[in-house]
Amino acid sequence: MPVSCTVVVPTIGRPSLDVLLDALAAMPGPRPDGLVVVDDRPAGPPLTVERPGLPPVRVVRTGGGGPARARNLGWRTARTEWIAFLDDDVVPDPDWYQRLAADLAGLPADVAGSQGRVRVPLPEDRRPTDWERGTAGLATSAWITADLAYRRAALAAVGGFDERFPRAFREDSDLALRVMDTGARLVRGDRWITHPVRPVDRWVSVRVQAGNADDVLMRRLHGPGWRDRAEAALGRRPQHLAVTAAGLAALGLAAARRPRPALAAALAWAAGTAEFAWARIAPGPRERAEVSTMALTSAAIPPLATWHWLRGVVTHRRVTPWRGLPDLVLFDRDGTLVRDFPYNGDPELVKPVPGAREAVDALRARGVRVGVVSNQSGVARGIITREQVDACMARLDELLGPFDTVQVCPHGPDDGCSCRKPAPGMVKAACAELDVDPARTVVVGDIGADVEAAAAAGASGILVPTPVTRRQEVAAAPRRAATLSAAVGDVLAGRW
Ligand SMILES: [Mg+2]
Ligand SMILES: [Zn+2]
């Protein structure tokens, strides 16, 4: 296909994944550059995804982190200009590759995303159930990631999906609003997927009430006008609050031995619940199973919706804008990743600090790239040779690699080069090599020159002092951590 694109499919191993992969393998048309399947199961044997006809496929695992984290790992793993998200329960039309290529070709630079079109098949011989009607709403929803392609740079600029949304609900609307906040546009394409109605048990309408807490998070993040911008209808929460209040009042008044007002409140509760149940039964098939399910769940939903909404109000009292992970973390070598032996030229003396391996691996596991930026003025001073530096870097790579970039400055302090930290040259070169925005880059080092180089390049710096770090440099550092592990922990928690 003319534009470079990776298809990203997060999955919890549902059988529908096989249907999707079969469709992606069999359909004609220009293949995207790659397919990333993100296995979001907490554990289990490897998924069987390979089949002839698929684009080059990679499987990565989250260990179970929810859909937002899975999609983030997917796009961070991919390196193409475009990322096309597909849910694991959809079936693309046979011309999907062709139309995807056509949808993305020639889009102006200010268009950051292209939405696919969704068709939900409903039974023809009867009226749809409550759940079927709800699923059918996907067909007219705005910016749903069942089939949505984003520019990778647009995802990187906003830190991807906000992982504080724990389920597949609102996380896609939130992303769309943040991307549009940057001034970019989202458009609708002409490719189609079919989204079948998933078989569910009768309590599904009760479980989805948890989304009321996510709505609170949306309001906190995007303000009271978020529903208009996200084209998300308010639904019946005001009625649910009123019905729940009437029910509680009835119980309270009965306990206070005030039977008449208690009866009035109970009648108000019953009327509200009956109206809700009928509103859900009337457009449906009115079969016995559906009617009894609607009757039962219509009594449960108002208090549960209210409960989850209150839970959200408490949980999301204070929220900060989503920062996400950086795209690149650059480490100083001596005194940061490995113990400091001044002007070391001996690979045998390359000894990682405690927790170094786990720290760099934790970043890699989340799709964050890692590199090294190292001053080696021993070369200019004639104490060690460039070959010795390279041998020590090779040893570092054995112990803690692979690194996505390794930058070395062999110059001395008086050479006036632009690479020796605190100059920003190596940080800028690493970002340029990997096509990463310095603003999405963190530098971790043990002296002031490391964090000054970060600041000069427009990156964030975290100082991990050692006993020999100067006190003024510790005091001046914008961010500090006690150990390398703690610094990486901060980065993974969005504190960078
Ligand atoms: Mg150092
Ligand atoms: Zn230099």
Side-chain angles (χ1 to χ4, degrees), residues 351-431:
K351 306 281 188 202
V353 303
R357 175 90 239 174
E358 292 77 8
V360 291
D361 280 348
L363 291 167
R364 292 184 183 115
R366 296 288 296 279
V368 178
R369 284 185 278 184
V370 289
V372 179
V373 284
S374 183
N375 285 356
Q376 294 295 331
S377 66
V379 177
R381 298 175 206 266
I383 303 170
I384 49 174
T385 65
R386 181 67 204 230
E387 288 67 36
Q388 285 176 300
V389 170
D390 292 343
C392 289
M393 285 300 182
R395 180 65 180 146
L396 181 77
D397 195 70
E398 279 173 26
L399 293 166
L400 301 177
F403 291 99
D404 297 285
T405 178
V406 174
Q407 307 285 333
V408 173
C409 166
H411 309 114
D414 303 324
D415 290 347
C417 75
S418 59
C419 40
R420 182 177 163 79
K421 295 175 285 187
M426 287 193 289
V427 178
K428 285 182 173 173
C431 290

XYZ file of all heavy atoms in Angstrom, residues 351-431:
584
model
N 30.102 -3.181 35.234
C 29.263 -3.880 36.218
C 27.953 -3.112 36.414
O 27.960 -2.004 36.974
C 29.976 -3.930 37.585
C 31.376 -4.534 37.533
C 31.305 -6.046 37.475
C 32.707 -6.641 37.619
N 32.757 -8.014 37.065
N 26.824 -3.679 35.971
C 25.543 -2.977 36.126
C 25.220 -2.688 37.594
O 25.567 -3.468 38.478
C 24.520 -3.952 35.542
C 25.302 -4.808 34.604
C 26.673 -4.934 35.212
N 24.555 -1.548 37.822
C 24.078 -1.242 39.172
C 22.899 -2.170 39.476
O 22.286 -2.722 38.556
C 23.640 0.239 39.304
C 24.788 1.169 38.940
C 22.420 0.525 38.463
N 22.574 -2.363 40.764
C 21.461 -3.261 41.103
C 20.161 -2.820 40.428
O 19.832 -1.635 40.411
C 21.356 -3.125 42.632
C 22.706 -2.669 43.073
C 23.251 -1.830 41.957
N 19.452 -3.787 39.848
C 18.160 -3.505 39.239
C 18.224 -2.939 37.842
O 17.177 -2.631 37.246
N 19.434 -2.793 37.262
C 19.543 -2.158 35.943
C 18.834 -2.973 34.865
O 18.083 -2.434 34.057
C 21.012 -1.955 35.590
N 19.087 -4.275 34.862
C 18.476 -5.133 33.839
C 16.947 -5.054 33.897
O 16.270 -4.870 32.888
C 18.951 -6.584 34.070
C 18.342 -7.619 33.200
C 19.149 -7.814 31.920
N 18.322 -7.546 30.751
C 18.797 -7.524 29.513
N 20.067 -7.704 29.260
N 17.996 -7.292 28.503
N 16.405 -5.175 35.114
C 14.945 -5.135 35.276
C 14.401 -3.775 34.829
O 13.325 -3.687 34.225
C 14.559 -5.389 36.736
C 14.851 -6.810 37.239
C 16.327 -7.057 37.555
O 17.120 -6.082 37.542
O 16.696 -8.212 37.811
N 15.156 -2.716 35.134
C 14.669 -1.376 34.807
C 14.574 -1.177 33.292
O 13.541 -0.735 32.778
C 15.586 -0.319 35.435
N 15.636 -1.508 32.565
C 15.578 -1.293 31.111
C 14.581 -2.255 30.466
O 13.871 -1.889 29.518
C 16.979 -1.395 30.445
C 17.840 -0.219 30.858
C 17.652 -2.717 30.769
N 14.483 -3.468 31.011
C 13.508 -4.420 30.456
C 12.074 -3.971 30.711
O 11.188 -4.209 29.879
C 13.730 -5.816 31.039
C 14.878 -6.547 30.351
O 15.333 -6.050 29.296
O 15.323 -7.585 30.867
N 11.832 -3.343 31.853
C 10.477 -2.869 32.151
C 10.051 -1.818 31.126
O 8.889 -1.776 30.704
C 10.419 -2.290 33.567
N 10.973 -0.962 30.709
C 10.656 0.029 29.673
C 10.396 -0.666 28.336
O 9.421 -0.354 27.645
C 11.791 1.043 29.541
C 11.955 1.975 30.743
C 13.281 2.727 30.663
C 10.789 2.969 30.800
N 11.271 -1.592 27.987
C 11.099 -2.294 26.696
C 9.759 -3.026 26.649
O 9.099 -3.066 25.613
C 12.235 -3.303 26.502
C 13.598 -2.658 26.296
C 14.654 -3.729 26.002
N 15.974 -3.127 25.866
C 16.986 -3.359 26.706
N 16.839 -4.184 27.721
N 18.149 -2.764 26.516
N 9.365 -3.608 27.785
C 8.122 -4.385 27.819
C 6.907 -3.515 27.537
O 5.869 -4.010 27.122
C 7.959 -5.068 29.176
N 7.033 -2.197 27.758
C 5.919 -1.287 27.493
C 6.059 -0.603 26.136
O 5.285 0.291 25.803
C 5.822 -0.250 28.608
C 5.501 -0.860 29.992
C 4.072 -1.360 30.104
N 3.137 -0.264 29.981
C 2.819 0.554 30.972
N 3.341 0.360 32.174
N 1.980 1.537 30.780
N 7.067 -1.014 25.367
C 7.244 -0.450 24.037
C 8.020 0.857 24.030
O 8.038 1.556 23.028
N 8.658 1.205 25.161
C 9.476 2.422 25.220
C 10.888 2.073 24.745
O 11.472 1.085 25.195
C 9.540 2.975 26.664
C 10.422 4.218 26.726
C 8.137 3.274 27.170
N 11.433 2.889 23.845
C 12.787 2.607 23.370
C 13.812 3.128 24.368
O 13.554 4.095 25.100
C 12.975 3.198 21.979
C 12.254 2.303 20.967
C 12.470 2.729 19.562
N 11.559 3.809 19.213
C 11.496 4.329 17.996
N 12.311 3.899 17.055
N 10.640 5.280 17.722
N 14.951 2.467 24.410
C 15.986 2.832 25.378
C 17.320 3.011 24.658
O 17.604 2.322 23.679
C 16.126 1.765 26.490
C 14.935 1.790 27.420
C 16.308 0.370 25.912
N 18.115 3.964 25.150
C 19.414 4.229 24.537
C 20.409 4.694 25.586
O 20.094 4.831 26.775
N 21.650 4.927 25.119
C 22.745 5.325 25.990
C 23.367 6.598 25.428
O 23.562 6.709 24.206
C 23.816 4.210 26.072
C 24.969 4.635 26.969
C 23.201 2.907 26.564
N 23.631 7.563 26.304
C 24.358 8.778 25.914
C 25.521 8.936 26.894
O 25.321 9.131 28.086
C 23.452 10.036 25.926
C 22.546 10.047 24.715
C 22.617 10.125 27.187
N 26.766 8.833 26.380
C 27.909 8.694 27.277
C 29.066 9.611 26.877
O 29.531 9.563 25.738
C 28.374 7.226 27.258
O 29.435 7.032 28.174
N 29.498 10.451 27.828
C 30.739 11.219 27.643
C 31.929 10.291 27.876
O 31.990 9.638 28.925
C 30.821 12.367 28.668
C 29.903 13.519 28.335
O 29.235 13.528 27.301
N 29.879 14.513 29.224
N 32.873 10.241 26.941
C 34.074 9.411 27.112
C 35.307 10.245 26.783
O 36.041 9.977 25.821
C 33.977 8.157 26.215
C 32.865 7.188 26.612
C 33.072 6.546 27.985
O 34.212 6.373 28.436
N 31.982 6.209 28.672
N 35.539 11.267 27.626
C 36.649 12.180 27.340
C 38.011 11.523 27.562
O 39.047 12.083 27.187
C 36.542 13.426 28.223
O 36.734 13.077 29.584
N 38.004 10.314 28.159
C 39.252 9.567 28.283
C 39.923 9.357 26.937
O 41.160 9.245 26.859
N 39.121 9.317 25.865
C 39.691 9.158 24.521
C 40.491 10.412 24.155
O 41.668 10.328 23.773
C 38.587 8.896 23.483
C 39.164 8.805 22.083
C 37.810 7.625 23.841
N 39.876 11.592 24.306
C 40.564 12.846 23.980
C 41.758 13.066 24.901
O 42.781 13.637 24.482
C 39.595 14.019 24.111
N 41.649 12.618 26.111
C 42.743 12.818 27.061
C 43.872 11.819 26.835
O 44.905 11.884 27.521
C 42.218 12.664 28.501
C 41.163 13.686 28.900
C 40.606 13.369 30.298
N 39.250 13.880 30.485
C 38.959 15.068 31.042
N 39.921 15.856 31.460
N 37.701 15.449 31.160
N 43.675 10.818 25.950
C 44.719 9.834 25.669
C 44.853 8.770 26.737
O 45.846 8.048 26.789
N 43.843 8.649 27.608
C 43.904 7.647 28.679
C 43.417 6.292 28.169
O 43.939 5.248 28.547
C 43.054 8.108 29.891
C 43.535 9.477 30.375
C 43.110 7.082 31.025
C 42.636 10.132 31.401
N 42.375 6.315 27.322
C 41.850 5.072 26.736
C 41.688 5.292 25.229
O 41.679 6.434 24.750
C 40.477 4.678 27.344
C 39.512 5.883 27.336
C 40.646 4.138 28.763
C 38.096 5.542 27.774
N 41.552 4.166 24.499
C 41.364 4.262 23.044
C 39.879 4.137 22.709
O 39.071 3.658 23.519
C 42.100 3.120 22.318
O 41.493 1.871 22.695
C 43.583 3.117 22.687
N 39.548 4.562 21.498
C 38.174 4.412 21.025
C 37.781 2.928 20.995
O 36.638 2.569 21.254
C 38.042 5.040 19.641
C 36.648 4.972 19.038
C 35.696 5.844 19.825
N 34.312 5.392 19.670
C 33.305 6.200 19.342
N 33.505 7.487 19.174
N 32.088 5.721 19.215
N 38.738 2.071 20.658
C 38.464 0.630 20.608
C 38.074 0.116 22.000
O 37.192 -0.731 22.129
C 39.686 -0.144 20.078
C 39.961 0.043 18.590
C 40.393 1.460 18.234
O 41.128 2.101 19.044
O 39.978 1.955 17.166
N 38.765 0.641 23.033
C 38.405 0.214 24.395
C 36.988 0.677 24.753
O 36.233 -0.065 25.386
C 39.417 0.763 25.406
C 40.753 0.031 25.377
C 41.757 0.658 26.328
O 42.095 1.840 26.176
N 42.224 -0.112 27.293
N 36.656 1.902 24.346
C 35.291 2.389 24.599
C 34.283 1.477 23.910
O 33.276 1.059 24.508
C 35.134 3.847 24.098
C 33.664 4.269 24.141
C 35.990 4.789 24.935
N 34.574 1.134 22.651
C 33.654 0.270 21.905
C 33.542 -1.109 22.565
O 32.448 -1.689 22.614
C 34.114 0.124 20.454
C 33.990 1.436 19.689
O 33.261 2.334 20.169
O 34.625 1.577 18.627
N 34.667 -1.615 23.081
C 34.627 -2.928 23.738
C 33.770 -2.870 25.003
O 33.007 -3.800 25.302
C 36.050 -3.384 24.084
N 33.875 -1.764 25.741
C 33.045 -1.617 26.946
C 31.559 -1.475 26.570
O 30.683 -2.015 27.263
C 33.498 -0.409 27.760
S 35.093 -0.667 28.562
N 31.276 -0.761 25.469
C 29.885 -0.634 25.017
C 29.344 -1.990 24.567
O 28.169 -2.310 24.789
C 29.777 0.385 23.879
C 29.878 1.830 24.331
S 28.555 2.258 25.520
C 28.926 4.000 25.780
N 30.193 -2.794 23.935
C 29.755 -4.130 23.510
C 29.418 -4.977 24.743
O 28.437 -5.727 24.750
C 30.840 -4.798 22.670
N 30.242 -4.842 25.781
C 29.965 -5.570 27.021
C 28.650 -5.085 27.648
O 27.843 -5.894 28.144
C 31.133 -5.371 27.996
C 30.969 -6.077 29.328
C 30.956 -7.579 29.184
N 30.787 -8.253 30.474
C 30.124 -9.380 30.638
N 29.562 -9.995 29.610
N 30.012 -9.920 31.833
N 28.439 -3.764 27.625
C 27.181 -3.206 28.142
C 25.987 -3.789 27.394
O 24.966 -4.132 27.991
C 27.196 -1.674 28.006
C 25.958 -0.957 28.532
C 26.000 -0.877 30.052
C 25.821 0.446 27.938
N 26.159 -3.903 26.060
C 25.076 -4.434 25.242
C 24.779 -5.895 25.617
O 23.619 -6.307 25.660
C 25.437 -4.320 23.762
C 24.230 -4.503 22.868
O 23.359 -3.612 22.862
O 24.133 -5.562 22.210
N 25.844 -6.666 25.904
C 25.642 -8.054 26.350
C 24.846 -8.099 27.651
O 23.978 -8.949 27.843
C 26.987 -8.725 26.628
C 27.721 -9.250 25.411
C 29.125 -9.747 25.793
O 29.346 -10.132 26.966
O 29.974 -9.712 24.910
N 25.188 -7.172 28.553
C 24.604 -7.233 29.896
C 23.209 -6.628 29.945
O 22.334 -7.138 30.646
C 25.516 -6.504 30.893
C 26.876 -7.180 31.142
C 27.814 -6.216 31.862
C 26.685 -8.456 31.962
N 22.994 -5.511 29.236
C 21.747 -4.764 29.393
C 21.028 -4.492 28.072
O 19.972 -3.870 28.058
C 22.003 -3.422 30.099
C 22.638 -3.479 31.492
C 22.885 -2.070 32.013
C 21.744 -4.251 32.462
N 21.605 -4.938 26.948
C 21.052 -4.613 25.639
C 19.831 -5.447 25.311
O 19.371 -6.225 26.150
N 19.276 -5.264 24.103
C 19.757 -4.369 23.058
C 19.283 -2.930 23.253
O 18.157 -2.704 23.690
C 19.152 -4.955 21.787
C 17.867 -5.578 22.248
C 18.128 -6.070 23.660
N 20.145 -1.985 22.941
C 19.778 -0.570 22.986
C 19.404 -0.091 21.588
O 20.006 -0.508 20.602
C 20.931 0.259 23.551
C 21.158 -0.004 25.024
C 22.145 -0.865 25.442
C 20.345 0.592 25.981
C 22.348 -1.125 26.790
C 20.529 0.329 27.335
C 21.538 -0.527 27.734
N 18.407 0.788 21.541
C 17.951 1.294 20.249
C 18.905 2.337 19.684
O 18.929 2.546 18.477
C 16.543 1.880 20.399
C 15.545 0.824 20.821
O 15.161 0.000 19.969
O 15.179 0.782 22.014
N 19.657 2.990 20.541
C 20.673 3.937 20.063
C 21.758 4.053 21.134
O 21.466 3.976 22.331
C 20.065 5.322 19.766
O 21.111 6.212 19.339
C 19.385 5.918 20.982
N 23.001 4.185 20.672
C 24.130 4.406 21.582
C 24.918 5.597 21.044
O 25.377 5.579 19.903
C 25.040 3.157 21.675
C 26.285 3.472 22.517
C 24.279 1.976 22.267
N 25.008 6.643 21.852
C 25.722 7.860 21.452
C 26.919 8.047 22.379
O 26.777 7.995 23.603
C 24.800 9.087 21.562
C 23.469 8.954 20.839
C 23.613 9.101 19.333
O 24.545 9.774 18.851
N 22.713 8.474 18.592
N 28.092 8.263 21.779
C 29.317 8.445 22.553
C 29.982 9.744 22.127
O 30.098 10.021 20.938
C 30.292 7.256 22.320
C 31.635 7.533 22.997
C 29.687 5.954 22.829
N 30.415 10.553 23.097
C 31.240 11.733 22.804
C 32.674 11.437 23.243
O 32.926 11.268 24.433
C 30.718 12.969 23.530
S 31.936 14.315 23.524
N 33.601 11.364 22.289
C 34.994 11.065 22.646
C 35.821 12.313 22.940
O 37.019 12.211 23.196
C 35.516 10.384 21.367
C 34.769 11.076 20.270
C 33.424 11.481 20.824
N 35.158 13.484 22.907
C 35.910 14.749 22.985
C 36.186 15.150 24.426
O 35.581 14.636 25.359
C 35.134 15.858 22.265
C 34.720 15.471 20.882
N 33.405 15.312 20.505
C 35.468 15.157 19.794
C 33.344 14.935 19.233
N 34.588 14.840 18.781
N 37.090 16.128 24.564
C 37.412 16.655 25.881
C 36.633 17.929 26.167
O 35.995 18.488 25.267
N 36.688 18.417 27.403
C 35.921 19.602 27.784
C 36.328 20.854 27.008
O 35.518 21.764 26.834
C 36.213 19.767 29.281
C 37.136 18.683 29.675
C 37.394 17.789 28.525
N 37.550 20.916 26.508
C 37.997 22.132 25.816
C 37.927 22.013 24.308
O 38.381 22.906 23.597
C 39.439 22.454 26.239
C 39.555 22.617 27.746
O 38.593 23.151 28.351
O 40.576 22.171 28.315
N 37.357 20.915 23.809
C 37.316 20.718 22.360
C 36.201 21.524 21.698
O 36.163 21.646 20.474
C 37.131 19.230 22.020
C 38.373 18.415 22.356
O 39.423 19.048 22.615
O 38.299 17.178 22.384
N 35.263 22.019 22.497
C 34.185 22.836 21.939
C 33.216 22.048 21.072
O 32.575 22.619 20.184
N 33.086 20.752 21.310
C 32.150 19.965 20.497
C 30.725 20.253 20.960
O 30.505 20.817 22.035
C 32.454 18.477 20.614
S 31.939 17.763 22.182
N 29.760 19.811 20.129
C 28.362 20.037 20.495
C 27.740 18.795 21.102
O 26.548 18.785 21.401
C 27.565 20.470 19.256
O 27.658 19.460 18.271
N 28.554 17.731 21.275
C 27.964 16.490 21.790
C 28.235 16.273 23.275
O 27.425 15.651 23.963
C 28.409 15.277 20.970
S 30.117 15.217 20.435
N 29.342 16.767 23.786
C 29.669 16.473 25.175
C 28.625 17.091 26.108
O 28.375 18.305 26.094
C 31.069 17.012 25.506
C 31.516 16.707 26.935
C 32.946 17.197 27.192
N 33.224 17.283 28.622
C 33.523 16.237 29.395
N 33.603 15.033 28.879
N 33.738 16.395 30.683
N 28.002 16.233 26.939
C 27.038 16.756 27.918
C 27.766 17.740 28.837
O 28.911 17.466 29.203
C 26.435 15.601 28.745
C 25.596 14.618 27.932
C 25.117 13.434 28.762
C 26.232 12.434 29.028
N 25.780 11.189 29.695
N 27.236 18.876 29.199
C 25.805 19.257 29.135
C 25.310 19.803 27.800
O 24.186 20.295 27.741
C 25.721 20.357 30.204
C 27.067 21.017 30.158
C 28.036 19.891 29.906
N 26.098 19.736 26.723
C 25.554 20.148 25.424
C 24.492 19.132 24.984
O 24.543 17.965 25.387
C 26.682 20.229 24.394
N 23.524 19.566 24.176
C 22.398 18.675 23.841
C 22.650 17.749 22.661
O 21.763 16.971 22.300
C 21.280 19.674 23.500
C 21.997 20.864 22.964
C 23.322 20.948 23.708
N 23.871 17.781 22.082
C 24.093 17.087 20.801
C 23.713 15.613 20.789
O 23.039 15.146 19.864
N 24.135 14.870 21.812
C 23.859 13.421 21.785
C 22.373 13.123 21.971
O 21.845 12.191 21.353
C 24.689 12.713 22.869
C 26.165 12.621 22.513
S 27.052 11.467 23.581
C 27.089 12.356 25.130
N 21.709 13.904 22.811
C 20.270 13.695 23.017
C 19.521 13.988 21.717
O 18.655 13.207 21.284
C 19.750 14.587 24.165
C 18.248 14.405 24.351
C 20.496 14.268 25.460
N 19.899 15.109 21.072
C 19.244 15.451 19.801
C 19.525 14.399 18.732
O 18.634 14.028 17.957
C 19.739 16.820 19.318
C 19.161 18.002 20.081
C 19.678 19.295 19.475
C 19.006 20.515 20.094
N 19.641 21.759 19.597
N 20.778 13.910 18.701
C 21.133 12.914 17.677
C 20.349 11.619 17.893
O 19.885 10.994 16.933
C 22.636 12.638 17.717
N 20.200 11.211 19.158
C 19.444 9.987 19.443
C 17.990 10.154 19.006
O 17.401 9.254 18.394
C 19.517 9.666 20.936
N 17.408 11.318 19.313
C 16.011 11.569 18.924
C 15.870 11.580 17.402
O 14.915 11.022 16.851
C 15.531 12.897 19.506
S 15.338 12.865 21.295
